[in-house]
Amino acid sequence: MAELFFGYFAGVIALTAVLVVALRNPVYSALALLVLFFHVAGLYVTLHAEFLAAVQLIVYAGAILVLYLFVVMLLNLKQDDRYHHQWRIAAFVCVPLLLEFLVLLAGNGVAPQSSPLTAEQTAAASDNTMAIGTTLFTTYLFPFEVASLILLVAMIGAIILAKRDIGEGGQT
Amino acid sequence: MTELGLRLAVSFTQIAAVTCIVIVTVLLLTLAERKVLGWMQDRMGPMEVGPYGILQPFADAIKLFFKEDIVPAGANKFLFTMAPILALIPALIGFAVIPWGPNQSLEIGSFTIKPFIISDINIGILYILAFASIGAYGIILGGWSSNSKYSLLGGLRSAAQVISYELNVGLSIVGVLIMAGSLSLVQITDAQSGWFWNWYVFAFPAPQIFALVVYVISAVAETNRVPFDLPEAESELVAGFFTEYSGLRFAFFYLAEYANMVLVSCVAAAMFLGGWNAPYPGTLIGYLGLPAFAWVENTMWFAVKTYSFLFLFFWLRATLPRLRYDQLMRFGWKVMLPIALANIVVTAIAVFFYQQMK
């Protein structure tokens, strides 16, 4: 049963990921991305990470992708071909990645054996929200604070960029 | 396999029942809104169909059902068809985690069913927020695919508005989550049993009154209701994102808006006003010696709380004029957001010291 679900989610994720870059209409690309986000959230649910699944939907599908759609509609990009002439750059990035992937596959094909869940892990799985919170605020406290600081810097940067012309006295 | 089949059958029955209740509520609301607005404006409201006009929703439904289905020239047909469905499904799907009545379970054979909730998942409230944010796609895509400038402007306005106010909805309930220590709506409601001062609006050590005010205002904005109905401002945008829609597709958008209203009212009742708990410990029916029927009283309390919020929606519509667009954005980001954040800080500190003292 678990393999069946994984096969379905993985298949749809791969298919929609290709569609996001292959479709000509940017709005359709955004919708393919939406379907992809849903299936990634489904994968999280099969891994008993419900909190991550919900956050995935709220942050990516609910906020970021809506902004993408917003931009796509405002720019009115109808079947723009500009992006289809960048294959040289794409090849430059993707060929090394493909080589790495092949090396990894050929090297040691032994998947790490997943040990059966201990009692502690099962307890954590039943309330993974609490587990994530505890880990984030004890073990990974420093990286967490650094990440929030970086986001704060990005936020201030965005405000300065947006407010620049107001400071120069121009009314928009 | 029979057990799986039985489980599926039970789940489908529950889903069908809840969907029916929601649709009937929406039908009632369409009539109630026109009646309440009518009375508030010193007129009668619909009076023609049935006694006192009580059959008006059915007449409306039949009218919409038989209207011509028009797809405008140059519209994106696929997205034009998908948009109303994308708006309606997220509005209905959120009801899966709403607890309608007491957290009791029935033992049938080898497994237990909870009759008053479809699925008690441990991230209940996040699930509702996740699907509420998906509802914006229906509106945006409906506006874009109609190939009309009014629709497009309405859709874009809605996108900006929903993103801004969704944030405030999410932040305003964090205080309740801190006090309850759970994301499950069932556990949050259970924690508010007893007298009415245990409800999180009044609860010690950090009453969530400001959070409730922020939540209600943001919920009105998120469901695109007056005074925040800029996506469908008829004086400037004809009808906003559904200008080009007719017949059943229009009915779907209409249904989605009202189902969303019911959903946010249910969440407000469950998170802030104690859900199905009566304002006194236990139930009157339980004291009279019929504890098996206590659920009737509990579900009635839930209905009363939900309908008071729905009445508030109508009241606001009859009272307030529409905001201007920049006022809407400034209000959301510069007034609501700081209040919600301050509420989180105050609640967190209060709960921390309260736990230390115990």
Side-chain angles (χ1 to χ4, degrees):
Chain A
M1 200 68 169
E3 280 92 8
L4 200 73
F5 277 117
F6 174 77
Y8 165 71
F9 286 127
V12 176
I13 287 172
L15 181 73
T16 47
V18 171
L19 283 180
V20 170
V21 287
L23 285 170
R24 287 292 173 109
N25 189 333
V27 175
Y28 284 148
S29 291
L31 284 185
L33 202 57
L34 176 66
V35 178
L36 177 119
F37 285 149
F38 260 93
H39 285 80
V40 172
L43 264 189
Y44 286 143
V45 171
T46 60
L47 293 171
H48 293 286
E50 293 93 357
F51 181 77
L52 273 186
V55 169
Q56 162 91 13
L57 283 188
I58 294 173
V59 174
Y60 285 98
I64 293 181
L65 196 58
V66 174
L67 284 181
Y68 280 6
L69 263 184
F70 204 102
V71 173
V72 165
M73 286 171 186
L74 276 183
L75 295 182
N76 209 8
L77 298 167
K78 274 190 183 158
Q79 316 216 342
D80 198 334
D81 282 334
R82 267 187 305 156
Y83 301 113
H84 297 274
H85 294 296
Q86 297 178 338
W87 63 271
R88 283 185 196 82
I89 307 168
F92 186 71
V93 175
C94 288
V95 167
L97 277 178
L98 181 69
L99 285 178
E100 278 175 26
F101 181 62
L102 287 176
V103 167
L104 278 176
L105 272 186
N108 45 353
V110 189
Q113 287 292 317
S114 59
S115 55
L117 290 175
T118 61
E120 237 174 86
Q121 282 168 321
T122 328
S126 68
D127 192 355
N128 65 86
T129 314
M130 192 177 274
I132 287 174
T134 320
T135 325
L136 214 55
F137 283 103
T138 53
T139 319
Y140 298 106
L141 181 63
F142 185 67
F144 179 71
E145 294 290 340
V146 169
S148 60
L149 200 68
I150 291 173
L151 285 177
L152 182 68
V153 170
M155 233 160 74
I156 295 171
I159 291 171
I160 288 174
L161 283 179
K163 286 273 179 186
R164 189 188 286 159
D165 50 344
I166 298 175
E168 286 163 3
Q171 273 192 340
T172 47
Chain B
M1 208 58 201
T2 50
E3 198 195 317
L4 186 70
L6 206 56
R7 263 181 199 283
L8 277 178
V10 170
S11 289
F12 279 130
T13 319
Q14 282 184 313
I15 292 170
V18 169
T19 314
C20 282
I21 291 171
V22 173
I23 301 281
V24 168
T25 311
V26 169
L27 281 182
L28 271 177
L29 285 183
T30 56
L31 177 67
E33 175 161 34
R34 295 172 68 177
K35 279 288 186 189
V36 170
L37 280 182
W39 290 329
M40 284 186 179
Q41 294 161 356
D42 203 10
R43 54 190 174 82
M44 301 294 278
M47 288 294 281
E48 294 295 326
V49 191
Y52 287 98
I54 54 169
L55 296 179
Q56 184 68 37
F58 298 98
D60 285 342
I62 293 168
K63 182 196 76 173
L64 284 170
F65 193 78
F66 285 109
K67 269 198 167 179
E68 188 189 352
D69 180 34
I70 301 167
V71 179
N76 186 325
K77 189 130 197 287
F78 172 64
L79 289 181
F80 192 79
T81 318
M82 284 290 291
I85 303 169
L86 265 178
L88 184 60
I89 288 178
L92 290 179
I93 218 168
F95 287 100
V97 294
I98 299 281
W100 304 92
N103 184 20
Q104 53 188 223
S105 44
L106 286 177
E107 301 269 346
I108 297 182
S110 57
F111 65 93
T112 56
I113 41 174
K114 291 185 172 174
F116 296 112
I117 182 165
I118 295 177
S119 173
D120 175 17
I121 54 178
N122 57 9
I123 51 155
I125 187 64
L126 283 183
Y127 171 88
I128 290 179
L129 289 181
F131 279 101
S133 60
I134 303 300
Y137 283 97
I139 294 176
I140 301 174
L141 292 175
W144 181 78
S145 63
S146 302
N147 193 28
S148 146
K149 48 184 175 291
Y150 298 121
S151 300
L152 182 64
L153 281 175
L156 288 178
R157 276 185 178 190
S158 151
Q161 179 176 336
V162 169
I163 292 176
S164 309
Y165 278 85
E166 182 183 276
L167 199 66
N168 298 334
V169 169
L171 287 177
S172 63
I173 58 182
V174 170
V176 173
L177 300 182
I178 291 174
M179 290 174 70
S182 171
L183 291 172
S184 156
L185 280 172
V186 175
Q187 287 179 30
I188 291 172
T189 317
D190 280 346
Q192 301 176 69
S193 59
W195 289 97
F196 63 88
W197 54 76
N198 285 347
W199 297 353
Y200 284 132
V201 214
F202 312 115
F204 194 73
Q208 300 292 315
I209 295 175
F210 288 106
L212 178 64
V213 172
V214 172
Y215 177 85
V216 169
I217 294 175
S218 308
V220 174
E222 219 196 340
T223 46
N224 293 330
R225 298 283 302 175
V226 181
F228 302 103
D229 65 335
L230 291 147
E232 47 196 84
E234 60 274 303
S235 53
E236 28 194 298
L237 291 178
V238 188
F241 59 90
F242 52 56
T243 306
E244 305 291 340
Y245 280 89
S246 66
L248 267 185
R249 295 192 220 273
F250 172 78
F252 269 36
F253 274 123
Y254 205 69
L255 207 60
E257 181 180 326
Y258 279 80
N260 264 325
M261 275 165 62
V262 180
L263 183 63
V264 296
S265 305
C266 284
V267 172
M271 305 268 314
F272 294 100
L273 292 188
W276 43 264
N277 286 305
Y280 39 84
T283 51
L284 288 180
I285 296 181
Y287 294 141
L288 288 176
L290 289 168
F293 292 99
W295 60 271
V296 178
E297 193 177 328
N298 284 324
T299 44
M300 281 304 124
W301 274 113
F302 189 73
V304 166
K305 289 166 187 173
T306 308
Y307 273 91
S308 352
F309 276 109
L310 290 168
F311 178 74
L312 188 70
F313 276 93
F314 304 151
W315 195 359
L316 286 176
R317 177 167 176 181
T319 311
L320 294 173
R322 186 178 299 129
L323 270 76
R324 217 171 51 219
Y325 190 68
D326 58 323
Q327 290 171 334
L328 171 94
M329 282 295 155
R330 190 179 306 138
F331 186 65
W333 288 98
K334 292 190 176 173
V335 180
M336 293 281 106
L337 192 67
I339 293 177
L341 286 174
N343 177 62
I344 293 174
V345 173
V346 171
T347 309
I349 294 172
V351 168
F352 176 75
F353 281 111
Y354 185 62
Q355 283 175 348
Q356 293 288 309
M357 281 194 294
K358 261 203 297 197

